Amino acid sequence: MLDATRSWTTTLDHHVGHRSDHPTDHHVGHRTDHRRDGLADDPMDGPVAQDDPDDPVDDRTGQRTVAETAARRPASRYGNRPTMKDVAARAGVGLKTVSRVVNGEPGVTPDTERRVQEAIEALGFRRNDSARVLRKGRTASIGLVLEDLADPFYGPLSRAVEEVARAHGALLINGSSAEDPDREQELVLALCARRVDGLVIIPAADDHRYLEPEIAAGVATVFVDRPAGKIDADAVLSDSFGGARDGVAHLIAHGHRRIGFIGDQPRIHTAIERLRGYRAAMEDAEIPVDEAWVSLGLTDPERVRAAAEEMLAGPDPVTAIFAGNNRVTVTVVRVLAALDRPVALVGFDDIELADLLDPGVTVVAQDAAQLGRTAAERLFRQLDGASGAPERVELPTRLIQRGSGELPPAG
Amino acid sequence: MLDATRSWTTTLDHHVGHRSDHPTDHHVGHRTDHRRDGLADDPMDGPVAQDDPDDPVDDRTGQRTVAETAARRPASRYGNRPTMKDVAARAGVGLKTVSRVVNGEPGVTPDTERRVQEAIEALGFRRNDSARVLRKGRTASIGLVLEDLADPFYGPLSRAVEEVARAHGALLINGSSAEDPDREQELVLALCARRVDGLVIIPAADDHRYLEPEIAAGVATVFVDRPAGKIDADAVLSDSFGGARDGVAHLIAHGHRRIGFIGDQPRIHTAIERLRGYRAAMEDAEIPVDEAWVSLGLTDPERVRAAAEEMLAGPDPVTAIFAGNNRVTVTVVRVLAALDRPVALVGFDDIELADLLDPGVTVVAQDAAQLGRTAAERLFRQLDGASGAPERVELPTRLIQRGSGELPPAG
DNA sequence: CTTGCATCTGACAACGTTGTCCAGGCCCTA
DNA sequence: TAGGGCCTGGACAACGTTGTCAGATGCAAG
């Protein structure tokens, strides 16, 4: 009757322990008010910094109120899920045996395994991965920081990263920087505190030295779409320079000489590169660039509209426009649609329904999904121990002719 | 020197002299065979564990000498980040004092605080939130399970959820179910294992009883876009029925009687609701529905194109089409563009550039961002302790006339 | 020069999991 | 029948953090 002895001791142990206040096993989901002490808004003072000045508990006095005493056994208040210990007690086996069953490790009799499984089922046990992480050191999750998930360019990119992560058994945590360097840093560091195994970053900032300690500590890091600033790190980029040069050359080939360029803020690497491509194409064709044709800045519709209208007005208007990204392209399409004369347009980034417009929008397409996939794969290669100097990978772009880029100059 | 006071009963019970042996143990991560049950992935061991073979420090003795502490200092050792213990040692203070400084708790002399801050800086310490979570019980992260992040409808929704989460100091983990019920469940349970505080789910499955133990254990849950199946849970929906009815009524008002409906798979709640709206509008106008006009199924371009072409062919073709969601709309637009006669179209969901097509696409718009925001707010209200019976919130839709819905019947 | 009282500080035990290692039981061989 | 090797099961100590509580320290009042 060793079995009896065993379950006896464990049961005893169990009752002496902290959970003695549960006479019945099945506490059904009646949801009590789980208002814990200060936290209401912010349990882990994560991204939002704060000092709770209204902390209701003041234990300097040393006196113990009823409320305090109740709060003292947090384990029985909120979300106290059954643990392996509970499962073990119910199944009448040891803790480690439960662990073995849960993880499918060998060395458990079918009979024992069945008993454990039953207990798991009955209690609704689910392994706490936080604890597992703490023990194992890897979280099996990666972070993705991008500009704005709502942007049609980043959706597919994020999805591609997710698929690769999934193939490696990892989850994806993502955050939007809203193109704000401070917010980017805040997000990245919050992710590091969660101990993500790796980071895929579409940077908004241009100084990433804040990442150095993290990288030194082993956080794999890959930058996408734009390179890192002031540190050396892997980067997966589209060939912005080449793509823009080709796009502009395409316009030139169709007879244009006065070509406008509307791009993103000069702080952003791709904006610079694309402008550089524009200038290169113009120079190749020996066309001097009138600086009135060039406009960098925010990509909100108002600014872009103003910029476009300005270069389309006057005695010597541009006859073609190169749009620096998808948001710019959309706005320029609208402006041109309201115009009484045809103006050629080539946009960077493909946009949905571009083929159904009249004329169809000619674009320099980059493959967002491929960008994400490549970056994620590099990340996991880093995690698999591949070391070596950081590299910069550049993916080619593709010119898709749909009509708007093939219009001849007006007149 | 070694803490004999510990639960000596248990120590006595078992190995008596067990603590003094194995002065060193360089254990390499020897991996035994994994006979795991299905589960496809191996959550934690996915990214390979790198075992630093050159680990110079072994402090199994439990006592920390000055020399050891010094030897530990090179924080550059891979995957072995400094802990509060290290910081404490370097600053010459106690562990708890470091914790206090890190968390901005009161009761630390400015001088002490400075010393600790310096040590933190020097070592590149960053608090390990995994451990914190384990201790505190809340992860300050929420999960979002949706169909496909690359879908332009879900991007803004996800972003909206993220913003609300951020306002509450939480991070967002999201996963794509790819419209696969099994994958949805797998994802949801993985998120529960990470102990997310709450879940926002756009369900693919129609049976969510698997969530019952989780909800009972206190995981806040809100369904969006589609209600939960077979359990009672909060849901935030668009008024699919009303929206579709209005859209179809709009077509009827413009003289159409033979109106086609192309929707998503009948498994999906919104597809059913929208079809119901279609039928209601037809019935209100006393128009009998020819079942050849109705097509439910996958929303990939091929299927939709075939369905559209079929109802547009024959002697008595439809003169108008109601498209059940954004993907369907896009495909139908393409089909109609290739047609030689005008056919009216109203689509559910707004699509970008819809206004620039010719004719503009009339749509029944739902506000994806508002949907996400509302859901996330409900979630955090749950987390803040608001209890009460689950509710279903329905957001109104908005008919946007752009031309395609106002075309009269051909002939 | 005590006493009292605040203030600061640090030892210690959780939190839930997994790696290590030993103790039995079993089967097999000699 | 004894002795050796598997196989199964369980006790224990981490992992890095925070809550508790008691010990130090300083300073004012008696």
Side-chain angles (χ1 to χ4, degrees):
Chain A
M1 276 287 116
L2 205 79
D3 235 29
T5 309
R6 186 166 60 226
S7 77
W8 206 81
T9 42
T10 44
T11 305
L12 182 67
D13 202 38
H14 177 63
H15 270 298
V16 171
H18 63 290
R19 291 172 63 86
S20 57
D21 42 1
H22 273 253
T24 81
D25 281 348
H26 35 267
H27 45 286
V28 190
H30 106 94
R31 206 177 291 186
T32 57
D33 122 74
H34 14 79
R35 180 172 185 76
R36 286 164 47 108
D37 38 1
L39 64 80
D41 40 287
D42 182 20
M44 333 248 312
D45 38 52
V48 184
Q50 72 160 43
D51 42 349
D52 38 354
D54 52 355
D55 188 339
V57 175
D58 186 337
D59 46 15
R60 276 190 287 274
T61 66
Q63 69 177 341
R64 184 151 303 290
T65 69
V66 176
E68 251 176 292
T69 314
R72 206 150 66 94
R73 56 188 58 175
S76 55
R77 289 306 287 163
Y78 164 80
N80 62 328
R81 306 198 55 147
T83 73
M84 285 192 177
K85 208 155 134 189
D86 301 316
V87 174
R90 178 166 180 128
V93 303
L95 188 55
K96 189 60 217 277
T97 300
V98 177
S99 172
R100 271 192 273 261
V101 171
V102 169
N103 294 296
E105 287 169 23
V108 181
T109 332
D111 180 58
T112 307
E113 171 160 4
R114 191 183 42 72
R115 284 216 315 285
V116 172
Q117 285 291 9
E118 278 171 12
I120 289 177
E121 204 83 0
L123 294 172
F125 166 81
R126 185 163 318 284
R127 183 178 62 197
N128 184 334
D129 275 352
S130 292
R132 184 167 212 241
V133 157
L134 184 57
R135 190 60 231 257
K136 292 208 128 181
R138 286 276 175 125
T139 58
S141 52
I142 67 174
L144 169 62
V145 177
L146 38 69
E147 185 204 328
D148 180 5
L149 208 41
D151 186 306
F153 177 70
Y154 294 115
L157 194 155
S158 174
R159 177 69 198 276
V161 172
E162 183 193 344
E163 287 304 316
V164 175
R166 179 178 147 85
H168 289 260
L171 282 180
L172 180 64
I173 307 181
N174 51 15
S176 301
S177 69
E179 205 66 273
D180 172 352
D182 292 336
R183 187 161 159 181
E184 172 201 306
Q185 176 169 352
E186 183 189 303
L187 256 172
V188 166
L189 293 183
L191 290 168
C192 287
R194 304 273 158 128
R195 295 292 189 269
V196 292
D197 297 331
L199 284 166
V200 176
I201 302 176
I202 297 167
D206 50 8
D207 183 349
H208 296 95
R209 281 172 299 184
Y210 70 85
L211 261 172
E212 271 171 345
E214 316 298 330
I215 292 176
V219 180
T221 311
V222 177
F223 285 74
V224 191
D225 191 44
R226 312 164 188 170
K230 303 191 178 170
I231 64 168
D232 203 19
D234 269 340
V236 178
L237 314 173
S238 276
D239 181 11
S240 282
F241 171 78
R245 191 187 48 197
D246 293 352
V248 174
H250 183 72
L251 289 168
I252 294 172
H254 281 81
H256 296 273
R257 295 186 62 81
R258 296 198 305 282
I259 303 174
F261 178 95
I262 306 181
D264 212 328
Q265 304 173 72
R267 183 165 62 72
I268 297 176
H269 180 263
T270 51
I272 303 288
E273 283 297 291
R274 291 170 196 176
L275 177 55
R276 208 163 60 78
Y278 164 84
R279 291 195 193 280
M282 297 295 266
E283 191 166 338
D284 287 349
E286 296 181 353
I287 304 173
V289 173
D290 182 338
E291 289 307 319
W293 300 342
V294 173
S295 170
L296 294 185
L298 293 171
T299 58
D300 62 301
E302 292 72 31
R303 214 267 322 167
V304 172
R305 173 177 295 274
E309 283 171 350
E310 193 178 329
M311 57 184 71
L312 286 167
D316 263 351
V318 298
T319 63
I321 292 180
F322 187 86
N325 70 24
N326 56 350
R327 288 184 301 274
V328 173
T329 304
V330 168
T331 303
V332 171
V333 167
R334 284 185 209 285
V335 171
L336 297 187
L339 215 62
D340 54 356
R341 65 180 188 277
V343 170
L345 169 67
V346 173
F348 209 109
D349 294 340
D350 203 359
I351 54 181
E352 197 173 26
L353 295 182
D355 57 322
L356 287 181
L357 297 175
D358 183 28
V361 182
T362 295
V363 297
V364 176
Q366 51 177 334
D367 189 340
Q370 183 62 39
L371 221 46
R373 204 158 29 236
T374 308
E377 274 160 5
R378 285 197 76 79
L379 191 78
F380 282 102
R381 219 168 302 138
Q382 276 185 36
L383 284 173
D384 287 351
S387 52
E391 280 178 15
R392 181 177 295 198
V393 178
E394 221 164 59
L395 301 182
T397 57
R398 196 164 52 97
L399 182 74
I400 305 178
Q401 306 186 22
R402 295 205 181 100
S404 75
E406 294 73 47
L407 294 174
Chain B
M1 86 177 346
L2 64 83
D3 42 358
T5 66
R6 252 181 21 83
S7 54
W8 61 272
T9 46
T10 50
T11 306
L12 184 69
D13 236 356
H14 309 283
H15 7 282
V16 180
H18 151 36
R19 292 168 64 80
S20 52
D21 40 10
H22 61 272
T24 78
D25 61 4
H26 286 276
H27 52 290
V28 209
H30 98 97
R31 197 179 301 195
T32 53
D33 91 275
H34 276 285
R35 153 212 79 163
R36 277 187 70 96
D37 40 358
L39 228 81
D41 48 352
D42 221 356
M44 293 299 165
D45 326 323
V48 158
Q50 53 185 24
D51 31 356
D52 37 359
D54 54 352
D55 184 339
V57 172
D58 188 336
D59 45 20
R60 287 292 185 278
T61 62
Q63 89 173 299
R64 184 166 299 286
T65 69
V66 177
E68 252 179 292
T69 311
R72 214 163 215 278
R73 222 179 266 166
S76 56
R77 228 165 356 125
Y78 243 46
N80 193 352
R81 306 199 56 146
T83 73
M84 285 192 177
K85 213 154 133 189
D86 300 317
V87 174
R90 182 175 174 118
V93 302
L95 187 55
K96 189 60 217 275
T97 300
V98 177
S99 172
R100 271 190 274 263
V101 170
V102 168
N103 294 294
E105 287 170 23
V108 181
T109 326
D111 180 58
T112 308
E113 171 160 3
R114 192 185 39 73
R115 284 215 316 284
V116 172
Q117 286 291 9
E118 279 172 12
I120 288 177
E121 205 83 0
L123 294 171
F125 166 81
R126 187 165 316 284
R127 182 178 64 196
N128 184 335
D129 275 353
S130 292
R132 184 166 212 240
V133 157
L134 184 57
R135 194 59 232 259
K136 290 210 133 186
R138 287 256 182 140
T139 57
S141 52
I142 67 175
L144 170 62
V145 177
L146 38 69
E147 186 204 327
D148 180 5
L149 208 43
D151 185 307
F153 177 69
Y154 295 115
L157 195 155
S158 175
R159 176 70 198 276
V161 172
E162 183 195 344
E163 288 304 316
V164 176
R166 178 179 148 85
H168 285 83
L171 283 180
L172 180 64
I173 307 181
N174 50 16
S176 302
S177 68
E179 205 65 273
D180 173 351
D182 292 337
R183 187 161 158 182
E184 173 201 307
Q185 175 169 350
E186 185 189 306
L187 255 171
V188 166
L189 294 184
L191 290 168
C192 288
R194 305 269 158 130
R195 294 293 187 270
V196 293
D197 297 332
L199 283 167
V200 176
I201 303 177
I202 297 167
D206 50 9
D207 183 350
H208 296 95
R209 282 173 298 185
Y210 71 86
L211 260 172
E212 272 171 345
E214 315 298 330
I215 292 177
V219 180
T221 311
V222 177
F223 284 75
V224 191
D225 191 44
R226 311 165 189 170
K230 303 191 179 170
I231 64 168
D232 202 20
D234 269 340
V236 178
L237 314 173
S238 277
D239 181 11
S240 282
F241 171 77
R245 190 188 48 196
D246 293 353
V248 174
H250 183 72
L251 288 168
I252 294 172
H254 281 81
H256 296 272
R257 296 187 59 83
R258 295 198 307 281
I259 303 174
F261 179 95
I262 305 181
D264 212 328
Q265 305 172 73
R267 184 164 62 72
I268 296 176
H269 179 262
T270 50
I272 302 289
E273 283 297 292
R274 291 170 196 177
L275 177 56
R276 210 162 60 77
Y278 165 84
R279 289 195 194 279
M282 297 295 265
E283 191 166 338
D284 286 349
E286 297 181 351
I287 305 173
V289 173
D290 182 337
E291 290 306 319
W293 300 343
V294 173
S295 170
L296 293 186
L298 292 173
T299 58
D300 62 302
E302 292 72 32
R303 213 266 325 166
V304 171
R305 172 177 296 275
E309 283 170 351
E310 191 177 331
M311 58 183 73
L312 287 167
D316 263 350
V318 298
T319 62
I321 292 181
F322 187 86
N325 71 24
N326 57 350
R327 289 185 300 273
V328 173
T329 305
V330 167
T331 304
V332 172
V333 167
R334 286 187 208 284
V335 171
L336 297 187
L339 215 61
D340 53 357
R341 66 180 187 278
V343 169
L345 169 67
V346 173
F348 209 109
D349 294 339
D350 203 358
I351 54 181
E352 199 173 25
L353 295 183
D355 57 321
L356 287 181
L357 296 176
D358 185 29
V361 181
T362 295
V363 297
V364 175
Q366 52 177 331
D367 189 339
Q370 184 61 40
L371 223 46
R373 204 158 30 235
T374 307
E377 275 160 5
R378 285 196 77 79
L379 190 78
F380 282 102
R381 220 168 301 139
Q382 276 185 35
L383 285 173
D384 286 351
S387 52
E391 281 178 15
R392 180 178 294 197
V393 178
E394 220 163 59
L395 300 182
T397 57
R398 198 164 51 96
L399 181 73
I400 304 178
Q401 305 186 24
R402 294 204 181 102
S404 76
E406 294 73 47
L407 294 174

